[in-house]
Structures are given as C-alpha cells and as structure tokens.
Amino acid sequence: MLEVTKKLVDLLDLAPIGDDHFQGDSEDLGFPNVFGGQVLGQALMAASRTVEGRLCHSLHAYFLRPGNHSMPIDYEVQRVRDGGSFSVRRVIARQGGKEILTGSMSFQVAEQGFEHQLDMPKAPAPEDLKSEQEWGQLLAPQVPEKMRPSLLRDRPIEIRPVNPVNPLKPEVRPPHKQSWFRAQGQLPDDPVLHRCLLTYASDFHFLGTSLNPHGVTFMSKNMQVASLDHAIWFHRDFRMDEWLLYDKDSPSACAGRGFNRGNFFNRQGVLVASTTQEALIRQR
C-alpha cells in the first residue's frame, strides 16, 4: 500500500470513544470545507463498527452544515433495528456540538436471489487516459499560486477522467461524465474498507455533471456549489484497488439544484454500485 493510501485508510479507521460513539480526524484537500466524501466514508465506517456478519447495501445521507477540516468529527451511531436479515443504523456527525451530517445505513446478510443489471456503457480503457494529477500539472501554471497545491497533491484515489472539462474554460456539454477510479496500491481483503473507500470516492467528479449543460464549473465566477444529499446502493462485491468505471448523468436541474446519478462498473462489466446526489448549483 502506498503511503498516501495508508493515510486515507487510517483516516477511515475511527477511534471508539464509548457507547457507539466514534471520532475521526479531518483532511484538508484544498477545499474551503471538509470534503463531503470523507464524512460519508467515516459515517459508514462508524455504522459498520456496530454490525456483525452483515455488509452495507444502502446509504442515504444529508449534508447539514459545512465541516471544518481543522477539527475532528464525532460520530454517534443509533441502533435502529436488527432483524433476521437486515440491520439499520442512524448516524449523526457533529463538530463543535453541531450536526454536519445525518444519515441512515442498511446492512444485509449474504443472500442469493434474482439477477439482472444494466449493460456497461462504452468507455476508453484507463490505460489510454491521463490521470487527474497529470491534468492538474498541465493546469497548474494557469491558476493562482494558492490553488496549485490542490491540483498537484498526491492522491490515494487515482482518477482518470474521460474527456475532462477545463475548469478555467468550460464549454456547454451534455449532462454526462465518465471517470475511472481505483485506490493506489494493494488493499487488504476487507469488504467494509472497500465499501467505505468507494463511498469516499463517489463524491469526486459528481455534482459537476449537472453543470455540464450550462458551461460552468465550480471555479466559474459567482458560482456557489455544494452537495446537499448523497445515496449509495452496493449491489455486488468489488475491490477498490482495481479499476472501476464511474458513469454519471444528470436528468434534471432546477430551482438552484442539480440532480445527479452514477453507476460503478468493474472491468468485467459488472455493476457493483449506484449513486445519486442532489447538489446546490446556485449562480449568484
């Protein structure tokens, strides 16, 4: 495992502080606030620590306040129900006594059943694409010096975007985006960790899908963008240290909000997870 990936794994390894309460550190990715995917991934880890023999199959969360990346985050887990097949947990994330995220997670025992899925869409192979970090190196000379570290930083999750948008010179495009994702280096065989890492990564390159038709990005003048909620459904087992295609579309934008959907496929074309998110996309 690369050191940068180990730091992310350690970030998700929450410290128990008693009575189904956990505490996690925050990381600074160069954004004004805590990255939403970090809070989602840590919330899922907190809930998973209170469940045995069952893996998360769905997660639904609301972002309530921006998080401060200079402060730790406290996670309270509430044991809503443990049934014969499913367990449900509610998680509240707090900083300074104020709630920044609330969510519910459902866990299920392993079970066989009917099988079908959407076909994997066509996409270039990841080996034929530049990484997000390589694109950042090309953009760095064109952005203010204070923004360069976030473009050039080492990344635990390698992202290779298909036909990326230049955030400095956006153009009108269809509401569709694709990226290949994988964790850098080999990971342990822990399905809980792989789910938490996908949850963390699923917030990257997502809300921008709803900006494509309007020719703007999060760096455009007078734009206020933020994730409002996030949902994930885990369909099948996967590994985050192997390439996954994240295929995203945006069916609608209105009332200052953009709605986004995503599907994760492995290289064999198996649909392993699906996501949705509504985001604030307000032009002041």
Side-chain angles (χ1 to χ4, degrees), residues 195-264:
R195 278 168 165 75
C196 292
L197 285 169
L198 184 143
T199 299
Y200 170 91
S202 66
D203 198 26
F204 284 119
H205 290 208
F206 200 14
L207 70 79
T209 313
S210 59
L211 298 177
N212 268 11
H214 312 287
V216 295
T217 71
F218 70 97
M219 293 180 67
S220 298
K221 188 177 180 180
N222 297 328
M223 285 301 300
Q224 182 185 10
V225 298
S227 303
L228 296 173
D229 62 14
H230 199 99
I232 305 175
W233 293 263
F234 298 103
H235 308 306
R236 299 167 180 86
D237 290 336
F238 61 91
R239 294 191 63 89
M240 271 301 292
D241 50 8
E242 298 175 355
W243 285 115
L244 297 174
L245 176 68
Y246 197 10
D247 184 81
K248 296 146 285 188
D249 68 8
S250 176
S252 173
C254 64
R257 305 186 313 274
F259 177 58
N260 305 283
R261 305 181 298 190
N263 289 311
F264 280 95

Side-chain angles (χ1 to χ4, degrees), residues 54-128:
R54 303 177 181 191
L55 291 172
C56 182
H57 71 90
S58 68
L59 173 158
H60 302 259
Y62 283 92
F63 298 100
L64 305 177
R65 291 180 177 88
N68 184 338
H69 43 60
S70 65
M71 299 171 58
I73 304 174
D74 294 327
Y75 295 90
E76 175 191 349
V77 180
Q78 300 172 357
R79 302 187 184 219
V80 179
R81 183 175 186 271
D82 287 303
S85 301
F86 294 88
S87 295
V88 176
R89 298 291 185 263
R90 184 177 298 117
V91 182
I92 302 171
R94 296 184 177 91
Q95 277 189 321
K98 294 184 177 181
E99 296 182 10
I100 64 171
L101 176 138
T102 182
S104 296
M105 294 85 175
S106 183
F107 300 76
Q108 184 186 12
V109 298
E111 185 175 330
Q112 298 296 316
F114 295 116
E115 287 268 349
H116 77 270
Q117 68 159 78
L118 293 173
D119 291 336
M120 179 179 176
K122 293 182 179 179
E127 293 81 7
D128 298 331

Side-chain angles (χ1 to χ4, degrees), residues 1-73:
M1 189 187 305
L2 299 185
E3 182 61 29
V4 67
T5 308
K6 184 179 183 301
K7 288 181 179 179
L8 175 56
V9 172
D10 290 344
L11 186 75
L12 295 172
D13 187 18
L14 307 179
I17 53 178
D19 297 326
D20 290 345
H21 282 67
F22 304 85
Q23 187 175 84
D25 294 327
S26 296
E27 65 176 349
D28 184 355
L29 296 182
F31 305 138
N33 306 305
V34 171
F35 173 53
Q38 176 210 302
V39 188
L40 290 167
Q42 289 179 327
L44 178 55
M45 181 62 78
S48 299
R49 293 277 173 85
T50 69
V51 179
E52 292 186 7
R54 303 177 181 191
L55 291 172
C56 182
H57 71 90
S58 68
L59 173 158
H60 302 259
Y62 283 92
F63 298 100
L64 305 177
R65 291 180 177 88
N68 184 338
H69 43 60
S70 65
M71 299 171 58
I73 304 174

